[in-house]
Amino acid sequence: MKVDPLGNFSLIIVGLLWGITNPLIKKGTEAVSLSKKKRKALTGFNFLDSVLLHLTTPAFIIPQALNLCSSVLFALSLGFNDLSIAVPLANGTSLFANGILDHFLGNGAPLWPGFPGILLIITGVTLCSGASPA
């Protein structure tokens, strides 16, 4: 299959959205946990109360919606890209963005020990997306 630059760009966008929204969903879940302690039960059913609380917490639902939209974009992008390029490109970009944002949010380890790994991800993704199948 021929390498499509627009398809690669969409996969990079997907990877960035996945990588950025994962730490934000974690933060949103922490916000839901804090507000769960402060709120009284709405329906009396723990599961339903938890679902309603998640759906009404913007810190959770906005990153979750962006993550789901990027999953739809990924599925659409599979029609334009070879699977052997699409998966490493999206997942490698996601790991890269997740590591960077986790560092800046204070969730992860210091950035400098992971920097060689980030460079290897970028190199591998570049080689995979630039290689033409035989």
Side-chain angles (χ1 to χ4, degrees):
M1 181 178 260
K2 189 176 176 183
V3 176
D4 180 21
L6 185 60
N8 285 351
F9 180 72
S10 67
L11 290 169
I12 290 170
I13 296 298
V14 166
L16 288 174
L17 283 172
W18 278 344
I20 289 170
T21 55
N22 284 337
L24 296 178
I25 290 171
K26 181 180 176 186
K27 288 277 188 192
T29 304
E30 291 170 359
V32 166
S33 295
L34 289 176
S35 63
K36 189 185 282 189
K37 294 175 185 175
K38 295 178 184 176
R39 276 188 170 175
K40 61 178 184 158
L42 297 172
T43 65
F45 298 104
N46 285 337
F47 176 74
L48 189 56
D49 286 339
S50 180
V51 169
L52 289 173
L53 190 57
H54 278 83
L55 290 176
T56 57
T57 305
F60 174 80
I61 198 69
I62 291 171
Q64 184 67 38
L66 283 172
N67 192 293
L68 292 173
C69 287
S70 63
S71 294
V72 170
L73 180 60
F74 178 73
L76 292 173
S77 297
L78 289 178
F80 302 107
N81 289 298
D82 190 13
L83 190 60
S84 64
I85 293 173
V87 172
L89 188 57
N91 288 339
T93 307
S94 175
L95 286 171
F96 170 75
N98 197 340
I100 298 291
L101 189 61
D102 261 348
H103 171 72
F104 287 115
L105 289 176
N107 296 336
L111 193 56
W112 62 269
F115 194 71
I118 289 171
L119 287 176
L120 287 172
I121 289 171
I122 292 170
T123 303
V125 165
T126 304
L127 289 173
C128 284
S129 64
S132 60

